[in-house]
Amino acid sequence: MMNQAPGCANDLSILSFAGGFHGRTLGALTCTHSKHVHKIDVPAFDWPTAPFPMLRYPLEEHSEYNAAEEARCLEAVEAIFQTRLAEGRPVAGAIVEPILSEGGDLHA
């Protein structure tokens, strides 16, 4: 067992978002970006992190700002996908939390 092709696709990655908490197993910790203390002395995969939109409330009063913030984050996700593909390390999946709630509710 050498963790080499064709049996192990180490060049694939999972996209996650800044601020997310997904658990404390190795793969989940790689996708966790909420508190540094959760990741002390834990090896992690070289997986990309995209910005999570920081919306302002009430939504109807901040629609222009929120639309721009969501567009900024979506552009970052697209850039990550394109860059990783060009590097030969494509994104194979994404972990999305539509509501980040470990440190307060952040809705996207």
Side-chain angles (χ1 to χ4, degrees):
M1 308 276 319
M2 302 278 296
N3 280 347
Q4 295 177 350
C8 184
N10 287 330
D11 56 341
L12 300 177
S13 59
I14 302 295
L15 174 78
S16 57
F17 291 85
F21 178 79
H22 302 290
R24 291 190 171 94
T25 62
L26 179 59
L29 276 173
T30 298
C31 298
T32 293
H33 307 286
S34 58
K35 295 179 183 170
H36 297 288
V37 69
H38 296 305
K39 299 174 86 160
I40 294 174
D41 294 330
V42 176
F45 298 111
D46 179 25
W47 289 352
T49 304
F52 190 83
M54 302 301 290
L55 303 182
R56 294 181 181 171
Y57 297 91
L59 293 174
E60 54 278 352
E61 292 179 19
H62 301 282
S63 59
E64 189 174 314
Y65 170 86
N66 290 341
E69 177 67 356
E70 289 173 343
R72 178 188 72 84
C73 293
L74 288 172
E75 287 173 10
V77 168
E78 186 175 332
I80 289 168
F81 271 77
Q82 291 173 350
T83 300
R84 299 289 286 210
L85 186 59
E87 295 171 346
R89 305 180 306 148
V91 174
I95 293 184
V96 180
E97 284 183 282
I99 301 174
L100 300 180
S101 61
E102 185 187 24
D105 289 344
L106 300 173
H107 301 252

